[in-house]
């Protein structure tokens, strides 16, 4: 999914699930979204983390 859609989706998931969500890069223009504790890919491919508990 494009980055702007991934950001919107990740923020919404983080607030709804009250869980840390990461956006990771799959290739140049495709990004994925996953719960941080479930993500087992390369830590260097993480673009952003949404933490609903962070103020």
């Amino acid at each position: 999914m494009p980055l702007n859609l991934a950001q919107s989706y990740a923020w919404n998931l983080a607030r709804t699930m009250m869980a840390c969500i990461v956006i990771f890069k799959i290739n140049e223009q495709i990004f994925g979204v996953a719960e941080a504790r479930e993500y087992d890919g390369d830590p260097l491919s993480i673009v952003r983390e949404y933490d609903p508990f962070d103020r």
Side-chain angles (χ1 to χ4, degrees):
M1 75 179 73
L3 181 58
N4 61 345
L5 182 59
Q7 289 172 325
S8 176
Y9 184 56
W11 181 85
N12 190 23
L13 274 177
R15 299 291 293 170
T16 302
M17 296 174 55
M18 294 307 287
C20 295
I21 304 293
V22 294
I23 298 175
F24 56 94
K25 192 173 205 172
I26 296 172
N27 67 29
E28 291 299 316
Q29 296 178 346
I30 299 176
F31 297 86
V33 175
E35 192 173 354
R37 67 181 177 169
E38 297 293 325
Y39 179 72
D40 62 354
D42 182 9
L44 295 177
S45 65
I46 294 176
V47 175
R48 168 115 190 205
E49 181 175 341
Y50 289 90
D51 183 355
F53 305 105
D54 190 25
R55 295 201 180 242

